[in-house]
């Protein structure tokens, strides 16, 4: 058995160092994983951080096994000192079928040398005041540039927020007449989460009616849809959903079975139509169309 370490001396607190243990065993015997040392604290000053084992060459009926170990020392030395890495044992067992033969290899402790990071005492001087050192002055920095940058970025952020509020029709821009569908979509979304599905559906339809009326500046009925789309071509892509909206509205407010409208055109479709109308309205306003 041989223990080799590339640097068993000159170690400082926190250093990692490795060791290789070579164990020769009869061919057919292998180290048992459960018997290998486990990574973790070994003593108050030494940790085992990694363990691996690999077979080496076979010779004269024997095989060489190499254990690679990585340690870390936490010994805060006050002077150059020798310490011993703890010993351990490794169990070898036969790999032959139904074999119960085993053997134990004793890996002895081995020394390392640790060193202090600095001198324990400074050199003697006649006057102890000479040991004192003035504090390093902190550099003075001009706060003008960071302050100006902070105000500039704050102004850019506020400008971006105002642009987003105008684009999304948030307060104080939400009451613009040209954003009627944005207000309708907000109302429809509020109704969509109510528990009273029938009343919520009716209110959502009314909200969409008000959006159409405010956009066109007049009362828009089902038979007026074609004219509305001619006057407002930005919503032409929504012809089919708007036609279904008017049919659902007619069934709810004038039909015999209001629940039929919810089955043919459920609330999620109504919400999606309101959202698409608001998006088309936003795009039209961004392009300068009324």
């Amino acid at each position: 058995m041989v223990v080799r370490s590339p640097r068993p001396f000159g170690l400082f607190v926190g250093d990692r160092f490795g060791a290789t243990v070579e164990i020769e065993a009869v061919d057919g015997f292998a180290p048992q994983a459960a018997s290998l040392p486990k990574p973790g604290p070994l003593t108050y000053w030494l940790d085992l951080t990694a363990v691996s084992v690999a077979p080496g060459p076979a010779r004269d009926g024997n095989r060489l096994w190499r254990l690679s170990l990585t340690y870390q020392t936490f010994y805060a030395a006050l002077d150059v000192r020798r310490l011993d890495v703890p010993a351990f044992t490794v169990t070898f067992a036969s790999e032959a079928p139904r074999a119960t033969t085993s053997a134990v290899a004793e890996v002895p402790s081995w020394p390392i040398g640790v060193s202090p990071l600095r001198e324990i005492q400074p050199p003697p001087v006649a006057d102890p005041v000479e040991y004192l050192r003035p504090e390093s002055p902190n550099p003075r920095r001009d706060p003008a540039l960071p302050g100006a940058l902070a105000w500039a970025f704050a102004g850019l952020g506020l400008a971006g927020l105002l642009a987003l509020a105008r684009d999304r029709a948030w307060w104080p821009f939400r009451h613009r007449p040209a954003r009627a569908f944005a207000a309708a979509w907000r109302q429809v979304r509020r109704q969509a989460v109510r528990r009273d599905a029938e009343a919520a559906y009716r209110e959502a339809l009314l909200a969409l009616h008000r959006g159409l009326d405010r956009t066109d500046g007049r009362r828009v009925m089902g038979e007026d849809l074609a004219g509305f789309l001619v006057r407002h071509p930005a919503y032409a892509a929504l012809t089919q959903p708007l036609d279904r909206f008017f049919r659902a509205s007619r069934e709810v407010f004038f039909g015999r079975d209001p629940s039929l409208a919810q089955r043919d055109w459920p609330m999620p479709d109504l919400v999606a139509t309101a959202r698409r109308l608001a998006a088309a309205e936003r795009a039209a306003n961004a392009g300068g169309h009324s």
Side-chain angles (χ1 to χ4, degrees):
M1 180 185 305
V2 180
V3 179
R4 293 189 174 90
S5 178
R7 184 190 159 204
F9 55 85
L11 298 171
F12 298 98
V13 59
D15 277 357
R16 291 175 182 265
F17 61 95
T20 301
V21 180
E22 295 182 348
I23 304 174
E24 191 171 356
V26 176
D27 199 12
F29 279 73
Q32 301 301 292
S35 69
L36 297 176
K38 301 297 187 294
L42 300 180
T43 67
Y44 74 94
W45 60 270
L46 185 67
D47 280 9
L48 178 63
T49 60
V51 179
S52 63
V53 60
R59 182 179 56 188
D60 298 333
N62 293 333
R63 180 172 296 277
L64 191 67
W65 292 87
R66 291 190 178 93
L67 273 68
S68 299
L69 306 129
T70 303
Y71 296 91
Q72 186 173 19
T73 175
F74 296 98
Y75 191 86
L78 298 179
D79 53 11
V80 177
R81 184 164 299 191
R82 167 179 162 157
L83 301 172
D84 290 326
V85 176
F88 61 90
T89 61
V90 179
T91 301
F92 284 75
S94 175
E95 296 178 330
R98 299 182 181 179
T100 58
T101 305
S102 62
V104 176
E106 299 281 349
V107 180
S109 63
W110 49 280
I112 60 171
V114 295
S115 302
L117 289 175
R118 58 190 175 89
E119 293 179 330
I120 301 174
Q121 293 180 347
V125 294
D127 187 358
V129 176
E130 295 185 17
Y131 289 127
L132 302 178
R133 294 291 185 270
E135 295 184 358
S136 300
N138 293 325
R140 297 182 62 85
R141 300 184 183 275
D142 185 3
L145 179 59
L149 290 175
W151 281 109
F153 284 121
L156 289 174
L158 180 60
L161 182 61
L162 289 174
L164 180 64
R166 186 181 187 283
D167 181 69
R168 298 294 179 177
W170 294 343
W171 183 90
F173 306 102
R174 63 166 43 178
H175 296 297
R176 289 178 297 168
R179 303 303 297 271
F181 284 126
W185 182 35
R186 286 191 295 270
Q187 181 65 21
V188 169
R189 284 186 299 172
R190 283 194 293 268
Q191 298 301 325
V193 298
R194 288 179 52 184
R195 293 187 177 182
D196 189 350
E198 184 174 345
Y201 192 78
R202 293 171 61 91
E203 290 297 326
L205 290 173
L206 288 174
L208 210 53
H209 271 297
R210 287 192 288 269
L212 287 164
D213 296 344
R214 290 175 58 191
T215 299
D216 203 32
R218 70 190 76 184
R219 185 74 65 183
V220 179
M221 305 301 291
E223 54 271 17
D224 303 325
L225 178 58
F228 173 85
L229 295 176
V230 170
R231 292 186 294 273
H232 306 280
Y235 309 106
L238 293 165
T239 302
Q240 183 177 0
L242 285 173
D243 182 64
R244 296 187 64 187
F245 159 72
F246 278 112
R247 280 188 290 167
S249 176
R250 188 178 300 110
E251 188 66 37
V252 167
F253 295 108
F254 303 104
R256 296 182 178 180
D257 186 6
S259 63
L260 180 62
Q262 296 186 54
R263 292 195 297 270
D264 292 342
W265 201 55
M267 178 66 86
D269 291 348
L270 199 161
V271 174
T273 299
R275 177 180 55 80
R276 292 179 62 188
L277 286 168
E281 178 184 61
R282 184 166 60 250
N285 286 333
H289 302 293
S290 60

Short mmCIF file of all heavy atoms in Angstrom, two decimals, residues 2-42:
data_model
loop_
_atom_site.label_atom_id
_atom_site.label_comp_id
_atom_site.label_asym_id
_atom_site.label_seq_id
_atom_site.Cartn_x
_atom_site.Cartn_y
_atom_site.Cartn_z
N VAL A 2 0.55 2.21 -0.84
CA VAL A 2 1.34 3.43 -0.96
C VAL A 2 0.39 4.62 -0.90
O VAL A 2 -0.67 4.62 -1.55
CB VAL A 2 2.15 3.46 -2.27
CG1 VAL A 2 2.96 4.74 -2.37
CG2 VAL A 2 3.07 2.24 -2.35
N VAL A 3 0.76 5.66 -0.12
CA VAL A 3 0.01 6.91 -0.07
C VAL A 3 0.89 8.00 -0.69
O VAL A 3 2.03 8.21 -0.24
CB VAL A 3 -0.37 7.29 1.38
CG1 VAL A 3 -1.13 8.61 1.38
CG2 VAL A 3 -1.20 6.19 2.01
N ARG A 4 0.39 8.66 -1.71
CA ARG A 4 1.14 9.71 -2.38
C ARG A 4 0.34 11.00 -2.34
O ARG A 4 -0.87 11.00 -2.56
CB ARG A 4 1.43 9.34 -3.83
CG ARG A 4 2.38 8.17 -4.02
CD ARG A 4 2.76 8.02 -5.49
NE ARG A 4 3.77 6.99 -5.69
CZ ARG A 4 3.51 5.71 -5.92
NH1 ARG A 4 2.24 5.32 -5.98
NH2 ARG A 4 4.47 4.83 -6.10
N SER A 5 1.04 12.10 -2.08
CA SER A 5 0.42 13.43 -2.10
C SER A 5 1.36 14.38 -2.81
O SER A 5 2.55 14.45 -2.45
CB SER A 5 0.14 13.93 -0.67
OG SER A 5 -0.43 15.23 -0.72
N PRO A 6 0.89 15.09 -3.81
CA PRO A 6 1.79 15.98 -4.55
C PRO A 6 2.30 17.15 -3.73
O PRO A 6 3.33 17.73 -4.04
CB PRO A 6 0.93 16.45 -5.73
CG PRO A 6 -0.48 16.28 -5.27
CD PRO A 6 -0.47 15.10 -4.36
N ARG A 7 1.60 17.55 -2.65
CA ARG A 7 2.04 18.70 -1.85
C ARG A 7 1.56 18.54 -0.40
O ARG A 7 0.55 19.09 0.00
CB ARG A 7 1.48 19.99 -2.44
CG ARG A 7 1.98 21.26 -1.73
CD ARG A 7 1.20 22.45 -2.21
NE ARG A 7 1.27 23.54 -1.27
CZ ARG A 7 0.37 24.51 -1.16
NH1 ARG A 7 -0.69 24.50 -1.94
NH2 ARG A 7 0.50 25.47 -0.29
N PRO A 8 2.31 17.80 0.39
CA PRO A 8 1.89 17.60 1.79
C PRO A 8 2.47 18.64 2.73
O PRO A 8 2.52 18.41 3.94
CB PRO A 8 2.45 16.21 2.10
CG PRO A 8 3.69 16.14 1.28
CD PRO A 8 3.45 16.95 0.04
N PHE A 9 2.93 19.78 2.24
CA PHE A 9 3.54 20.78 3.10
C PHE A 9 3.21 22.17 2.55
O PHE A 9 2.74 22.32 1.42
CB PHE A 9 5.07 20.59 3.14
CG PHE A 9 5.70 20.59 1.78
CD1 PHE A 9 6.07 21.76 1.15
CD2 PHE A 9 5.91 19.39 1.11
CE1 PHE A 9 6.63 21.76 -0.12
CE2 PHE A 9 6.48 19.38 -0.16
CZ PHE A 9 6.83 20.56 -0.78
N GLY A 10 3.46 23.21 3.37
CA GLY A 10 3.22 24.58 2.94
C GLY A 10 1.75 24.88 2.72
O GLY A 10 1.41 25.72 1.88
N LEU A 11 0.86 24.25 3.47
CA LEU A 11 -0.57 24.45 3.30
C LEU A 11 -1.05 25.57 4.21
O LEU A 11 -0.65 25.65 5.38
CB LEU A 11 -1.34 23.16 3.61
CG LEU A 11 -1.01 21.96 2.71
CD1 LEU A 11 -1.66 20.70 3.27
CD2 LEU A 11 -1.47 22.21 1.29
N PHE A 12 -1.92 26.43 3.67
CA PHE A 12 -2.51 27.51 4.45
C PHE A 12 -3.98 27.19 4.72
O PHE A 12 -4.57 26.30 4.10
CB PHE A 12 -2.40 28.83 3.70
CG PHE A 12 -0.97 29.26 3.45
CD1 PHE A 12 -0.36 29.01 2.23
CD2 PHE A 12 -0.25 29.90 4.44
CE1 PHE A 12 0.95 29.40 2.01
CE2 PHE A 12 1.06 30.29 4.22
CZ PHE A 12 1.67 30.05 3.00
N VAL A 13 -4.58 27.95 5.65
CA VAL A 13 -5.98 27.74 5.98
C VAL A 13 -6.83 27.93 4.73
O VAL A 13 -6.69 28.89 3.99
CB VAL A 13 -6.41 28.70 7.11
CG1 VAL A 13 -6.23 30.15 6.73
CG2 VAL A 13 -7.87 28.44 7.50
N GLY A 14 -7.73 26.98 4.47
CA GLY A 14 -8.60 27.03 3.30
C GLY A 14 -8.06 26.31 2.09
O GLY A 14 -8.78 26.12 1.11
N ASP A 15 -6.77 25.87 2.11
CA ASP A 15 -6.19 25.20 0.95
C ASP A 15 -6.80 23.82 0.74
O ASP A 15 -7.16 23.12 1.70
CB ASP A 15 -4.68 25.05 1.12
CG ASP A 15 -3.93 26.31 0.74
OD1 ASP A 15 -4.59 27.27 0.28
OD2 ASP A 15 -2.70 26.34 0.90
N ARG A 16 -6.87 23.43 -0.53
CA ARG A 16 -7.25 22.07 -0.89
C ARG A 16 -5.98 21.31 -1.30
O ARG A 16 -5.10 21.88 -1.94
CB ARG A 16 -8.24 22.06 -2.06
CG ARG A 16 -9.62 22.60 -1.69
CD ARG A 16 -10.50 22.67 -2.93
NE ARG A 16 -11.81 23.23 -2.63
CZ ARG A 16 -12.89 22.51 -2.35
NH1 ARG A 16 -12.81 21.19 -2.34
NH2 ARG A 16 -14.05 23.09 -2.09
N PHE A 17 -5.94 20.04 -0.97
CA PHE A 17 -4.81 19.20 -1.37
C PHE A 17 -5.33 17.80 -1.62
O PHE A 17 -6.36 17.38 -1.09
CB PHE A 17 -3.71 19.21 -0.30
CG PHE A 17 -4.14 18.68 1.04
CD1 PHE A 17 -3.92 17.36 1.38
CD2 PHE A 17 -4.79 19.50 1.96
CE1 PHE A 17 -4.31 16.86 2.62
CE2 PHE A 17 -5.18 19.02 3.20
CZ PHE A 17 -4.95 17.69 3.53
N GLY A 18 -4.61 17.09 -2.46
CA GLY A 18 -5.04 15.76 -2.85
C GLY A 18 -4.09 14.69 -2.39
O GLY A 18 -2.94 14.95 -2.00
N ALA A 19 -4.58 13.46 -2.43
CA ALA A 19 -3.77 12.29 -2.09
C ALA A 19 -4.28 11.11 -2.91
O ALA A 19 -5.48 11.01 -3.20
CB ALA A 19 -3.84 11.97 -0.59
N THR A 20 -3.33 10.24 -3.27
CA THR A 20 -3.68 9.02 -4.00
C THR A 20 -3.20 7.83 -3.19
O THR A 20 -2.03 7.75 -2.81
CB THR A 20 -3.03 9.00 -5.39
OG1 THR A 20 -3.47 10.13 -6.13
CG2 THR A 20 -3.41 7.74 -6.15
N VAL A 21 -4.13 6.92 -2.91
CA VAL A 21 -3.81 5.70 -2.16
C VAL A 21 -3.85 4.54 -3.14
O VAL A 21 -4.88 4.29 -3.79
CB VAL A 21 -4.80 5.49 -1.01
CG1 VAL A 21 -4.44 4.21 -0.24
CG2 VAL A 21 -4.80 6.68 -0.07
N GLU A 22 -2.74 3.82 -3.26
CA GLU A 22 -2.66 2.66 -4.15
C GLU A 22 -2.69 1.40 -3.30
O GLU A 22 -1.84 1.21 -2.41
CB GLU A 22 -1.39 2.72 -4.98
CG GLU A 22 -1.36 3.91 -5.95
CD GLU A 22 -0.11 3.93 -6.80
OE1 GLU A 22 0.83 3.15 -6.49
OE2 GLU A 22 -0.05 4.72 -7.76
N ILE A 23 -3.67 0.55 -3.55
CA ILE A 23 -3.86 -0.68 -2.80
C ILE A 23 -3.82 -1.85 -3.78
O ILE A 23 -4.58 -1.85 -4.77
CB ILE A 23 -5.19 -0.68 -2.02
CG1 ILE A 23 -5.27 0.55 -1.11
CG2 ILE A 23 -5.35 -1.97 -1.22
CD1 ILE A 23 -6.62 0.69 -0.42
N GLU A 24 -2.98 -2.83 -3.52
CA GLU A 24 -2.89 -4.00 -4.37
C GLU A 24 -3.70 -5.13 -3.74
O GLU A 24 -3.51 -5.45 -2.56
CB GLU A 24 -1.43 -4.41 -4.55
CG GLU A 24 -1.23 -5.47 -5.62
CD GLU A 24 0.25 -5.70 -5.93
OE1 GLU A 24 1.09 -4.98 -5.35
OE2 GLU A 24 0.54 -6.60 -6.72
N ALA A 25 -4.62 -5.70 -4.53
CA ALA A 25 -5.47 -6.78 -4.03
C ALA A 25 -5.49 -7.91 -5.04
O ALA A 25 -5.17 -7.73 -6.22
CB ALA A 25 -6.89 -6.27 -3.79
N VAL A 26 -5.87 -9.08 -4.59
CA VAL A 26 -5.97 -10.24 -5.47
C VAL A 26 -7.00 -9.94 -6.55
O VAL A 26 -8.07 -9.38 -6.27
CB VAL A 26 -6.36 -11.49 -4.66
CG1 VAL A 26 -6.58 -12.69 -5.59
CG2 VAL A 26 -5.29 -11.79 -3.63
N ASP A 27 -6.65 -10.31 -7.77
CA ASP A 27 -7.57 -10.06 -8.88
C ASP A 27 -8.89 -10.77 -8.64
O ASP A 27 -8.91 -11.95 -8.28
CB ASP A 27 -6.94 -10.54 -10.19
CG ASP A 27 -7.62 -9.90 -11.40
OD1 ASP A 27 -8.40 -8.95 -11.20
OD2 ASP A 27 -7.37 -10.36 -12.53
N GLY A 28 -9.98 -10.07 -8.81
CA GLY A 28 -11.30 -10.60 -8.49
C GLY A 28 -11.88 -9.98 -7.25
O GLY A 28 -13.08 -10.13 -6.99
N PHE A 29 -11.06 -9.29 -6.46
CA PHE A 29 -11.53 -8.55 -5.30
C PHE A 29 -11.66 -7.08 -5.68
O PHE A 29 -10.82 -6.54 -6.42
CB PHE A 29 -10.56 -8.69 -4.12
CG PHE A 29 -10.73 -9.97 -3.36
CD1 PHE A 29 -10.31 -11.19 -3.89
CD2 PHE A 29 -11.30 -9.97 -2.10
CE1 PHE A 29 -10.46 -12.36 -3.19
CE2 PHE A 29 -11.45 -11.15 -1.39
CZ PHE A 29 -11.03 -12.35 -1.93
N ALA A 30 -12.70 -6.43 -5.17
CA ALA A 30 -12.95 -5.02 -5.48
C ALA A 30 -13.36 -4.29 -4.20
O ALA A 30 -13.98 -4.88 -3.31
CB ALA A 30 -14.06 -4.87 -6.52
N PRO A 31 -13.00 -3.02 -4.10
CA PRO A 31 -13.40 -2.25 -2.91
C PRO A 31 -14.91 -2.06 -2.86
O PRO A 31 -15.55 -1.80 -3.89
CB PRO A 31 -12.66 -0.92 -3.07
CG PRO A 31 -12.38 -0.81 -4.52
CD PRO A 31 -12.20 -2.20 -5.03
N GLN A 32 -15.47 -2.16 -1.67
CA GLN A 32 -16.90 -1.96 -1.48
C GLN A 32 -17.19 -0.47 -1.28
O GLN A 32 -16.55 0.20 -0.47
CB GLN A 32 -17.37 -2.75 -0.26
CG GLN A 32 -17.13 -4.24 -0.36
CD GLN A 32 -17.84 -4.84 -1.58
OE1 GLN A 32 -19.06 -4.90 -1.62
NE2 GLN A 32 -17.07 -5.27 -2.57
N ALA A 33 -18.16 0.02 -2.05
CA ALA A 33 -18.46 1.45 -2.01
C ALA A 33 -18.86 1.91 -0.62
O ALA A 33 -18.54 3.03 -0.20
CB ALA A 33 -19.58 1.77 -3.01
N ALA A 34 -19.56 1.05 0.13
CA ALA A 34 -20.02 1.44 1.46
C ALA A 34 -18.87 1.63 2.44
O ALA A 34 -19.01 2.31 3.46
CB ALA A 34 -21.00 0.41 2.01
N SER A 35 -17.71 1.01 2.15
CA SER A 35 -16.59 1.11 3.08
C SER A 35 -15.68 2.30 2.77
O SER A 35 -14.77 2.59 3.55
CB SER A 35 -15.77 -0.17 3.04
OG SER A 35 -15.09 -0.31 1.79
N LEU A 36 -15.88 2.98 1.63
CA LEU A 36 -15.02 4.11 1.29
C LEU A 36 -15.34 5.29 2.21
O LEU A 36 -16.47 5.45 2.66
CB LEU A 36 -15.25 4.51 -0.17
CG LEU A 36 -14.88 3.47 -1.23
CD1 LEU A 36 -15.25 3.98 -2.61
CD2 LEU A 36 -13.39 3.14 -1.16
N PRO A 37 -14.34 6.12 2.51
CA PRO A 37 -14.62 7.30 3.35
C PRO A 37 -15.62 8.23 2.68
O PRO A 37 -15.59 8.42 1.45
CB PRO A 37 -13.24 7.96 3.50
CG PRO A 37 -12.43 7.43 2.37
CD PRO A 37 -12.94 6.06 2.08
N LYS A 38 -16.53 8.78 3.47
CA LYS A 38 -17.58 9.64 2.94
C LYS A 38 -17.14 11.10 2.99
O LYS A 38 -16.55 11.55 3.98
CB LYS A 38 -18.87 9.46 3.77
CG LYS A 38 -19.40 8.05 3.79
CD LYS A 38 -19.80 7.59 2.39
CE LYS A 38 -20.49 6.22 2.43
NZ LYS A 38 -19.55 5.16 2.86
N PRO A 39 -17.42 11.87 1.93
CA PRO A 39 -17.10 13.29 1.96
C PRO A 39 -17.82 13.99 3.12
O PRO A 39 -18.98 13.71 3.41
CB PRO A 39 -17.60 13.80 0.61
CG PRO A 39 -17.57 12.60 -0.28
CD PRO A 39 -17.94 11.45 0.61
N GLY A 40 -17.10 14.91 3.76
CA GLY A 40 -17.66 15.64 4.89
C GLY A 40 -16.57 15.94 5.89
O GLY A 40 -15.39 15.65 5.68
N PRO A 41 -16.94 16.51 7.03
CA PRO A 41 -15.94 16.83 8.06
C PRO A 41 -15.32 15.56 8.65
O PRO A 41 -16.02 14.61 9.01
CB PRO A 41 -16.74 17.60 9.11
CG PRO A 41 -18.00 18.04 8.41
CD PRO A 41 -18.28 17.01 7.39
N LEU A 42 -13.99 15.54 8.73
CA LEU A 42 -13.28 14.45 9.38
C LEU A 42 -12.85 14.85 10.79
O LEU A 42 -12.93 14.06 11.72
CB LEU A 42 -12.05 14.06 8.56
CG LEU A 42 -12.33 13.58 7.12
CD1 LEU A 42 -11.03 13.24 6.43
CD2 LEU A 42 -13.27 12.39 7.11
#
